Amino acid sequence: MPGALRKYTLTRICLVAYIKRMESFEIIAEPNRRAILSLLVSSQQSVGEIERQLRMTQPTVSKHLRVLREAGFVESTVDAQRRLYRLKPEPFQEVDAWLEQFRRFWSDHVDALERHLDRMHSATPTKATPAKKKAKRNRRGANRGNNSRSRNHDRS
């Protein structure tokens, strides 16, 4: 019986950790929260700054910041009359560690895409080549116009 209890306890701990990670994905899946997180990558921001930059209402920004703060993605400090929010790296490190096991699946595809784009780039003519052709066509067209004008002028 002690072995079964220990097995259940370990399963429960792993399940809780898995659920917590999935909740993290649900939290950052919301587009407004991702936009807020993207702003906070560069520097700490106040609610008012986030509100102005993302064109959201103050209650909406506050609601999303509360969710992000409770989930541990952001923390705040008080600066005079305003509260400044900044990212906490730990939850992002946990998500990154979990994603690490899946990177091999997409890194091969990204590498293949890069090779394909390199081949496409080397096979296409440079931008100068089409521009020269276009310029020649325009000059020929312009000369034709001049020739017809000069012919008409000669007739008069």
Side-chain angles (χ1 to χ4, degrees):
M1 205 51 131
L5 180 60
R6 185 176 22 187
K7 182 178 177 184
Y8 175 76
T9 304
L10 289 175
T11 304
R12 179 79 177 131
I13 290 169
C14 292
L15 183 62
V16 169
Y18 176 78
I19 290 171
K20 184 178 182 210
R21 259 189 243 107
M22 290 304 105
E23 287 174 353
S24 295
F25 283 112
E26 288 176 25
I27 289 166
I28 60 178
E30 204 285 323
N32 291 322
R33 290 188 203 124
R34 283 198 319 270
I36 291 170
L37 292 171
S38 294
L39 274 181
L40 296 177
V41 164
S42 58
S43 65
Q44 62 183 5
Q45 306 272 330
S46 70
V47 174
E49 291 166 336
I50 295 169
E51 177 186 338
R52 280 188 296 282
Q53 291 179 56
L54 298 179
R55 294 186 175 110
M56 290 184 203
T57 64
Q58 186 275 327
T60 301
V61 171
S62 293
K63 177 186 79 166
H64 289 302
L65 283 170
R66 187 186 78 242
V67 171
L68 290 168
R69 190 180 63 243
E70 288 174 358
F73 284 97
V74 300
E75 61 186 0
S76 64
T77 56
V78 176
D79 177 42
Q81 297 294 325
R82 59 189 194 149
R83 188 174 292 273
L84 297 174
Y85 288 86
R86 66 176 167 263
L87 294 180
K88 288 180 66 177
E90 296 83 13
F92 296 101
Q93 291 165 346
E94 289 173 14
V95 170
D96 183 56
W98 185 80
L99 285 171
E100 181 61 36
Q101 61 188 326
F102 301 102
R103 282 203 177 86
R104 65 185 169 93
F105 293 114
W106 70 72
S107 66
D108 291 340
H109 296 291
V110 171
D111 292 343
L113 175 62
E114 183 179 18
R115 286 190 302 274
H116 175 71
L117 293 173
D118 286 343
R119 282 192 305 270
M120 284 179 59
H121 179 68
S122 64
T124 57
T126 63
K127 289 184 178 183
T129 306
K132 286 180 184 175
K133 288 180 182 177
K134 192 174 186 179
K136 285 180 183 175
R137 262 190 248 129
N138 286 342
R139 269 189 253 127
R140 270 191 247 134
N143 290 340
R144 284 185 194 142
N146 289 340
N147 289 340
S148 64
R149 271 191 236 130
S150 63
R151 273 185 257 149
N152 289 338
H153 182 65
D154 291 338
R155 288 183 188 162
S156 20

